[in-house]
Amino acid sequence: QVQLVESGGGLVQPGESLRLACAASGSISSVTTMAWYRQAPGKERELVAQVGRSGTKTYADSVKGRFTISRDNVKITVDLQMNSLKSEDTAVYYCSILTAAYYRYWGQGTQVTVSS
């Protein structure tokens, strides 16, 4: 049984940084895209950043230049470094892994709150 466990969320002030981590446990093979999504209250879940197996990265326009996604293909982990956080970054953040069989796994979510 595959589980994705996230950590690193919390409460920070605007301008500060947080690093989210996500680790997969269980048997999982042929991982392709690893990603972070977020969902703010009253809004739909949106893609924040993703990284392909070759290392190609894409970011939402709202986080470009502030967030950095990274992955470890051996450990099957995906991290999100978030700098210069803004109040509009407040949301529940979810990591996600897509396999070659097009099956998508989700983490349980971690709360990030940016407030003064």
Side-chain angles (χ1 to χ4, degrees), residues 16-33:
E16 295 185 338
S17 299
L18 276 177
R19 187 177 183 87
L20 305 182
C22 175
S25 64
S27 178
I28 183 170
S29 61
S30 301
V31 173
T32 56
T33 303

PDB file of all heavy atoms in Angstrom, residues 16-33:
ATOM      1  N   GLU A  16       8.598  35.388   4.941  1.00  0.00           N
ATOM      2  CA  GLU A  16       9.382  34.279   5.473  1.00  0.00           C
ATOM      3  C   GLU A  16       9.344  33.074   4.536  1.00  0.00           C
ATOM      4  O   GLU A  16       8.711  33.105   3.481  1.00  0.00           O
ATOM      5  CB  GLU A  16       8.894  33.916   6.872  1.00  0.00           C
ATOM      6  CG  GLU A  16       9.123  35.030   7.880  1.00  0.00           C
ATOM      7  CD  GLU A  16       8.757  34.634   9.312  1.00  0.00           C
ATOM      8  OE1 GLU A  16       7.956  33.691   9.479  1.00  0.00           O
ATOM      9  OE2 GLU A  16       9.266  35.275  10.247  1.00  0.00           O
ATOM     10  N   SER A  17      10.055  32.025   4.960  1.00  0.00           N
ATOM     11  CA  SER A  17      10.195  30.830   4.121  1.00  0.00           C
ATOM     12  C   SER A  17       9.716  29.591   4.844  1.00  0.00           C
ATOM     13  O   SER A  17       9.700  29.528   6.079  1.00  0.00           O
ATOM     14  CB  SER A  17      11.664  30.637   3.726  1.00  0.00           C
ATOM     15  OG  SER A  17      12.151  31.739   2.990  1.00  0.00           O
ATOM     16  N   LEU A  18       9.335  28.589   4.058  1.00  0.00           N
ATOM     17  CA  LEU A  18       8.997  27.254   4.552  1.00  0.00           C
ATOM     18  C   LEU A  18       9.478  26.245   3.524  1.00  0.00           C
ATOM     19  O   LEU A  18       9.524  26.547   2.328  1.00  0.00           O
ATOM     20  CB  LEU A  18       7.495  27.087   4.738  1.00  0.00           C
ATOM     21  CG  LEU A  18       6.820  27.554   6.022  1.00  0.00           C
ATOM     22  CD1 LEU A  18       5.319  27.340   5.912  1.00  0.00           C
ATOM     23  CD2 LEU A  18       7.379  26.833   7.234  1.00  0.00           C
ATOM     24  N   ARG A  19       9.783  25.061   4.021  1.00  0.00           N
ATOM     25  CA  ARG A  19      10.140  23.964   3.121  1.00  0.00           C
ATOM     26  C   ARG A  19       9.213  22.803   3.399  1.00  0.00           C
ATOM     27  O   ARG A  19       9.163  22.304   4.520  1.00  0.00           O
ATOM     28  CB  ARG A  19      11.590  23.532   3.287  1.00  0.00           C
ATOM     29  CG  ARG A  19      12.045  22.510   2.255  1.00  0.00           C
ATOM     30  CD  ARG A  19      13.516  22.179   2.415  1.00  0.00           C
ATOM     31  NE  ARG A  19      13.998  21.261   1.400  1.00  0.00           N
ATOM     32  CZ  ARG A  19      14.462  21.640   0.211  1.00  0.00           C
ATOM     33  NH1 ARG A  19      14.537  22.927  -0.082  1.00  0.00           N
ATOM     34  NH2 ARG A  19      14.879  20.727  -0.674  1.00  0.00           N
ATOM     35  N   LEU A  20       8.489  22.377   2.391  1.00  0.00           N
ATOM     36  CA  LEU A  20       7.615  21.219   2.489  1.00  0.00           C
ATOM     37  C   LEU A  20       8.337  19.991   1.965  1.00  0.00           C
ATOM     38  O   LEU A  20       9.063  20.077   0.977  1.00  0.00           O
ATOM     39  CB  LEU A  20       6.325  21.434   1.696  1.00  0.00           C
ATOM     40  CG  LEU A  20       5.518  22.682   2.030  1.00  0.00           C
ATOM     41  CD1 LEU A  20       4.240  22.711   1.185  1.00  0.00           C
ATOM     42  CD2 LEU A  20       5.179  22.734   3.503  1.00  0.00           C
ATOM     43  N   ALA A  21       8.093  18.876   2.631  1.00  0.00           N
ATOM     44  CA  ALA A  21       8.704  17.616   2.208  1.00  0.00           C
ATOM     45  C   ALA A  21       7.624  16.559   2.052  1.00  0.00           C
ATOM     46  O   ALA A  21       6.630  16.562   2.784  1.00  0.00           O
ATOM     47  CB  ALA A  21       9.742  17.163   3.219  1.00  0.00           C
ATOM     48  N   CYS A  22       7.836  15.668   1.110  1.00  0.00           N
ATOM     49  CA  CYS A  22       6.884  14.582   0.875  1.00  0.00           C
ATOM     50  C   CYS A  22       7.666  13.314   0.570  1.00  0.00           C
ATOM     51  O   CYS A  22       8.535  13.315  -0.318  1.00  0.00           O
ATOM     52  CB  CYS A  22       5.973  14.930  -0.295  1.00  0.00           C
ATOM     53  SG  CYS A  22       4.838  13.620  -0.789  1.00  0.00           S
ATOM     54  N   ALA A  23       7.358  12.260   1.302  1.00  0.00           N
ATOM     55  CA  ALA A  23       8.044  10.991   1.101  1.00  0.00           C
ATOM     56  C   ALA A  23       7.033   9.894   0.837  1.00  0.00           C
ATOM     57  O   ALA A  23       5.989   9.832   1.494  1.00  0.00           O
ATOM     58  CB  ALA A  23       8.880  10.643   2.331  1.00  0.00           C
ATOM     59  N   ALA A  24       7.364   9.020  -0.121  1.00  0.00           N
ATOM     60  CA  ALA A  24       6.481   7.903  -0.451  1.00  0.00           C
ATOM     61  C   ALA A  24       6.937   6.655   0.294  1.00  0.00           C
ATOM     62  O   ALA A  24       8.130   6.373   0.378  1.00  0.00           O
ATOM     63  CB  ALA A  24       6.492   7.649  -1.946  1.00  0.00           C
ATOM     64  N   SER A  25       5.978   5.932   0.831  1.00  0.00           N
ATOM     65  CA  SER A  25       6.270   4.652   1.464  1.00  0.00           C
ATOM     66  C   SER A  25       5.462   3.572   0.778  1.00  0.00           C
ATOM     67  O   SER A  25       4.407   3.838   0.213  1.00  0.00           O
ATOM     68  CB  SER A  25       5.933   4.699   2.956  1.00  0.00           C
ATOM     69  OG  SER A  25       4.547   4.905   3.133  1.00  0.00           O
ATOM     70  N   GLY A  26       5.966   2.356   0.835  1.00  0.00           N
ATOM     71  CA  GLY A  26       5.286   1.281   0.133  1.00  0.00           C
ATOM     72  C   GLY A  26       5.915   1.047  -1.216  1.00  0.00           C
ATOM     73  O   GLY A  26       6.834   1.742  -1.632  1.00  0.00           O
ATOM     74  N   SER A  27       5.383   0.097  -1.925  1.00  0.00           N
ATOM     75  CA  SER A  27       5.937  -0.268  -3.220  1.00  0.00           C
ATOM     76  C   SER A  27       5.329   0.600  -4.320  1.00  0.00           C
ATOM     77  O   SER A  27       4.136   0.538  -4.571  1.00  0.00           O
ATOM     78  CB  SER A  27       5.649  -1.746  -3.506  1.00  0.00           C
ATOM     79  OG  SER A  27       6.137  -2.106  -4.774  1.00  0.00           O
ATOM     80  N   ILE A  28       6.169   1.377  -4.942  1.00  0.00           N
ATOM     81  CA  ILE A  28       5.716   2.226  -6.018  1.00  0.00           C
ATOM     82  C   ILE A  28       6.767   2.206  -7.116  1.00  0.00           C
ATOM     83  O   ILE A  28       7.945   2.329  -6.853  1.00  0.00           O
ATOM     84  CB  ILE A  28       5.447   3.667  -5.532  1.00  0.00           C
ATOM     85  CG1 ILE A  28       4.896   4.544  -6.649  1.00  0.00           C
ATOM     86  CG2 ILE A  28       6.681   4.277  -4.934  1.00  0.00           C
ATOM     87  CD1 ILE A  28       4.405   5.888  -6.162  1.00  0.00           C
ATOM     88  N   SER A  29       6.334   2.012  -8.325  1.00  0.00           N
ATOM     89  CA  SER A  29       7.292   1.916  -9.419  1.00  0.00           C
ATOM     90  C   SER A  29       6.878   2.821 -10.563  1.00  0.00           C
ATOM     91  O   SER A  29       5.748   3.278 -10.653  1.00  0.00           O
ATOM     92  CB  SER A  29       7.387   0.469  -9.916  1.00  0.00           C
ATOM     93  OG  SER A  29       6.117   0.031 -10.392  1.00  0.00           O
ATOM     94  N   SER A  30       7.832   3.068 -11.421  1.00  0.00           N
ATOM     95  CA  SER A  30       7.605   3.863 -12.634  1.00  0.00           C
ATOM     96  C   SER A  30       6.974   5.213 -12.333  1.00  0.00           C
ATOM     97  O   SER A  30       5.967   5.593 -12.937  1.00  0.00           O
ATOM     98  CB  SER A  30       6.724   3.080 -13.624  1.00  0.00           C
ATOM     99  OG  SER A  30       7.322   1.860 -13.966  1.00  0.00           O
ATOM    100  N   VAL A  31       7.594   5.923 -11.390  1.00  0.00           N
ATOM    101  CA  VAL A  31       7.104   7.264 -11.075  1.00  0.00           C
ATOM    102  C   VAL A  31       7.475   8.204 -12.218  1.00  0.00           C
ATOM    103  O   VAL A  31       8.608   8.228 -12.675  1.00  0.00           O
ATOM    104  CB  VAL A  31       7.713   7.765  -9.757  1.00  0.00           C
ATOM    105  CG1 VAL A  31       7.332   9.233  -9.513  1.00  0.00           C
ATOM    106  CG2 VAL A  31       7.259   6.898  -8.600  1.00  0.00           C
ATOM    107  N   THR A  32       6.516   8.962 -12.689  1.00  0.00           N
ATOM    108  CA  THR A  32       6.806   9.951 -13.732  1.00  0.00           C
ATOM    109  C   THR A  32       6.820  11.342 -13.111  1.00  0.00           C
ATOM    110  O   THR A  32       7.825  11.776 -12.600  1.00  0.00           O
ATOM    111  CB  THR A  32       5.790   9.847 -14.880  1.00  0.00           C
ATOM    112  OG1 THR A  32       4.452   9.994 -14.355  1.00  0.00           O
ATOM    113  CG2 THR A  32       5.908   8.497 -15.575  1.00  0.00           C
ATOM    114  N   THR A  33       5.688  12.012 -13.087  1.00  0.00           N
ATOM    115  CA  THR A  33       5.643  13.382 -12.588  1.00  0.00           C
ATOM    116  C   THR A  33       5.393  13.421 -11.076  1.00  0.00           C
ATOM    117  O   THR A  33       4.556  12.683 -10.565  1.00  0.00           O
ATOM    118  CB  THR A  33       4.536  14.171 -13.294  1.00  0.00           C
ATOM    119  OG1 THR A  33       4.763  14.132 -14.706  1.00  0.00           O
ATOM    120  CG2 THR A  33       4.523  15.624 -12.834  1.00  0.00           C
TER     121      THR A  33
END
